[in-house]
Amino acid sequence: MLKFILKRLLYVPLILLLVSFVVFALLRLSPVDPAFSYLVQSQIPPTDEALNTARIELGLNKPFLEQYFLWLKNALSLDFGISYVTKREVLGDLLYYLPTTLCLTLLSMLFLICVSIPLGIIAALKKNSLFDKCILLFSFAGVSIPSFWFGFLLILVFTLGFGVLSPFSELGFTRYILPVLTLSLMSLCINVRLMRASFLARLKAPFLLYARARALSEAKIARTHLLKNSLVPVSTSLGMHFGELLGGAVVVEILFALPGLGRYAVGAIYSHDYPVVQCFVLLVTLVFIVMNLFIDILYVYLNPKIAYED
């Protein structure tokens, strides 16, 4: 296990390096001149002289690769530059907004796991019953509903209808309830169907017959054999769901006015605030890699037979 973790950790710097280069190159391909954006955000008239001065000040007059390696050198010392808009250090701003986004994403992930797995198991055990059909209908409808529309519906019912769970109340646990429901709906419905199918596929597996032949109790068979094996494909999907939740948090944060990283990044994209966009992508990539590493470790725990060496 330790060898596997160390091997995966060695990939992290390489992935971050590749992502940083691709993002840096894509931003430079934009038709908008970064020097022009900088002057506009600084409320300075973009004359030719001002543009030339800004390019020299931001290092944009240097060759592309020299710009990238200069940025990389500063990034290695955690200096991601100054925001064109706020005139503050980019990393400080992003770390200020990061906890809200992480809290929203992790709460959605926790809600997804705690609800989808029991619902999938019960639906499998009660196959073709009314409960099973309701769960299938719910999962089908949940996948089809756009998250922003579901969010508006929740605000209409709970905030405007019942007068509770206002998106503009003080930031606390209750403030996250509607955003978590909105963000996790689609992933939850997919996971319910996946868990149901995985559990049904293993109900008739030969290892259950052998477990019963060993006179093991049904509770022990369900806990140590059936549930553990059924969770293997579900654990794989959790890594993808985390990326989906992290990306979807951008829309949900705007919808529910949450002071999160996605909302801040969208503002930076509109303002062509390149230092913020570069640091944002790198930070989100790092969080995504760490979470997928955790999921991979969970995957090895659930199914030790997997030969990761291949």
Side-chain angles (χ1 to χ4, degrees):
M1 176 70 82
L2 183 62
K3 183 182 175 183
F4 165 73
I5 295 173
L6 291 174
K7 190 177 176 182
R8 295 303 299 268
L9 285 175
L10 286 176
Y11 288 120
V12 174
L14 295 176
I15 296 171
L16 289 176
L17 189 65
L18 181 64
V19 169
S20 69
F21 182 79
V22 171
V23 173
F24 196 87
L26 287 176
L27 288 175
R28 294 307 180 275
L29 290 175
S30 169
V32 180
D33 186 352
F36 181 82
S37 302
Y38 175 76
L39 291 176
V40 170
Q41 298 302 329
S42 303
Q43 298 183 343
I44 299 173
T47 60
D48 290 341
E49 186 182 354
L51 282 169
N52 288 330
T53 306
R55 288 192 187 104
I56 294 170
E57 185 183 338
L58 299 174
L60 298 171
N61 58 331
K62 296 175 182 173
F64 169 76
L65 284 178
E66 190 177 342
Q67 287 183 46
Y68 173 70
F69 285 117
L70 184 62
W71 176 85
L72 188 63
K73 180 186 171 186
N74 293 330
L76 289 174
S77 58
L78 300 180
D79 179 9
F80 292 91
I82 304 294
S83 166
Y84 294 170
V85 179
T86 64
K87 307 299 178 190
R88 295 192 296 263
E89 288 190 3
V90 170
L91 186 61
D93 276 357
L94 289 177
L95 290 179
Y96 174 78
Y97 291 110
L98 182 63
T100 303
T101 300
L102 278 184
C103 188
L104 174 62
T105 308
L106 292 176
L107 281 175
S108 300
M109 195 75 179
L110 184 65
F111 179 71
L112 161 71
I113 294 171
C114 292
V115 175
S116 66
I117 292 175
L119 282 182
I121 292 174
I122 296 171
L125 292 174
K126 297 180 178 295
K127 184 184 176 185
N128 294 330
S129 66
L130 179 62
F131 179 83
D132 182 35
K133 290 175 181 174
C134 289
I135 288 296
L136 289 177
L137 180 63
F138 164 73
S139 58
F140 178 75
V143 171
S144 310
I145 296 175
S147 59
F148 70 91
W149 186 87
F150 184 63
F152 280 128
L153 187 66
L154 290 177
I155 292 173
L156 180 67
V157 173
F158 289 96
T159 306
L160 300 180
F162 297 110
V164 295
L165 304 176
S166 170
F168 303 104
S169 61
E170 191 177 343
L171 190 61
F173 176 74
T174 54
R175 177 85 181 271
Y176 284 99
I177 293 176
L178 295 187
V180 165
L181 290 175
T182 304
L183 185 59
S184 60
L185 176 67
M186 185 178 290
S187 301
L188 188 146
C189 293
I190 294 172
N191 228 41
V192 166
R193 291 181 71 94
L194 190 61
M195 188 66 208
R196 177 184 178 275
S198 178
F199 207 82
L200 280 174
R202 283 157 184 80
L203 275 177
K204 296 179 182 178
F207 65 81
L208 289 183
L209 181 64
Y210 301 140
R212 291 191 176 100
R214 290 163 54 201
L216 297 177
S217 66
E218 287 297 322
K220 188 172 184 179
I221 290 172
R223 188 177 64 253
T224 60
H225 295 278
L226 192 55
L227 179 61
K228 192 174 178 181
N229 282 285
S230 301
L231 285 174
V232 172
V234 176
S235 65
T236 308
S237 72
L238 289 179
M240 293 182 284
H241 285 315
F242 184 81
E244 185 183 314
L245 295 175
L246 199 60
V250 174
V251 176
V252 175
E253 283 170 7
I254 294 172
L255 186 61
F256 290 94
L258 284 172
L261 197 61
R263 190 179 169 201
Y264 177 64
V266 169
I269 292 169
Y270 277 123
S271 309
H272 303 288
D273 197 348
Y274 293 163
V276 173
V277 178
Q278 285 169 186
C279 188
F280 166 74
V281 175
L282 213 58
L283 193 60
V284 170
T285 304
L286 181 62
V287 172
F288 186 70
I289 291 172
V290 170
M291 279 306 298
N292 270 276
L293 178 63
F294 173 74
I295 295 294
D296 285 343
I297 294 170
L298 178 66
Y299 198 54
V300 174
Y301 167 74
L302 292 172
N303 190 2
K305 293 183 294 183
I306 296 171
Y308 276 99
E309 291 79 7
D310 294 336

